[in-house]
Amino acid sequence: MIERGNPLPSVGIKLVTAAGVEDTTSDAVLGRGTVVLFTVPGAFTPTCHDNHLPGFIANAAKFRAAGVDRIVCASANDHHVMKAWANASEALGDVDFLADGNADFARALGLDKDFTGTGMGTRYARAAMIIRDGIIDAVFVEDAPGVNASGAPAILMALEAA
């Protein structure tokens, strides 16, 4: 699993923003400035949709005030699903979305998790990280169901403590 001090891996992804969808790489999106990346098992899934994403949307101004240049959500969903989720959640402009349909970036980070028992295949573990100029500064991985260590309040506290 990726750790503090590791460089961000470069993997092909699709970026969903208010401007549309583009093919790019993880390091091009996450490698400049201070970025908060949070990863979720799936778009529209109950915990992700109701408990994880909303905290980052609601606290976007606080993240910017803490020096965060970009908030990004990654999931192993295709870009059509990620765009629909971004639109439905009204997050665009506050949060950008990485569509990692084959979970290649999830594997490169060591955050891939087997959800085949629930019919979802390989997905991301629920996590968040602070990235500064392409170097991992902090990683927060949930060790139980729910949103605690990787939620917006915990990441804001970590930013304030840094």
Side-chain angles (χ1 to χ4, degrees):
M1 181 182 325
I2 196 132
E3 297 176 350
R4 182 171 198 229
N6 291 157
L8 189 68
S10 180
V11 176
I13 49 93
K14 290 190 182 286
L15 176 65
V16 178
T17 67
V21 177
E22 70 176 275
D23 289 315
T24 186
T25 60
S26 53
D27 59 324
V29 174
L30 306 168
R32 288 182 218 98
T34 300
V35 179
V36 169
L37 171 67
F38 66 103
T39 63
V40 299
F44 291 111
T45 57
T47 302
C48 305
H49 186 71
D50 296 333
N51 301 111
H52 209 174
L53 175 60
F56 287 94
I57 298 168
N59 288 290
K62 289 180 182 176
F63 279 102
R64 283 190 292 276
V68 172
D69 299 300
R70 186 176 225 174
I71 303 168
V72 181
C73 175
S75 185
N77 291 107
D78 67 64
H79 65 283
H80 301 291
V81 170
M82 292 300 278
K83 184 168 177 48
W85 190 33
N87 287 331
S89 63
E90 299 180 355
L92 292 174
D94 290 322
V95 177
D96 294 333
F97 293 79
L98 292 186
D100 183 23
N102 294 323
D104 294 332
F105 187 46
R107 283 184 199 88
L109 292 170
L111 291 174
D112 53 310
K113 188 169 180 181
D114 183 2
F115 280 88
T116 55
T118 60
M120 293 173 59
T122 301
R123 298 294 178 121
Y124 278 87
R126 186 174 311 284
M129 61 187 72
I130 300 168
I131 306 164
R132 297 185 195 276
D133 294 320
I135 304 298
I136 307 304
D137 188 57
V139 181
F140 309 88
V141 180
E142 297 292 349
D143 59 3
V147 179
N148 294 300
S150 67
I155 305 308
L156 281 168
M157 285 181 14
L159 286 163
E160 291 169 4

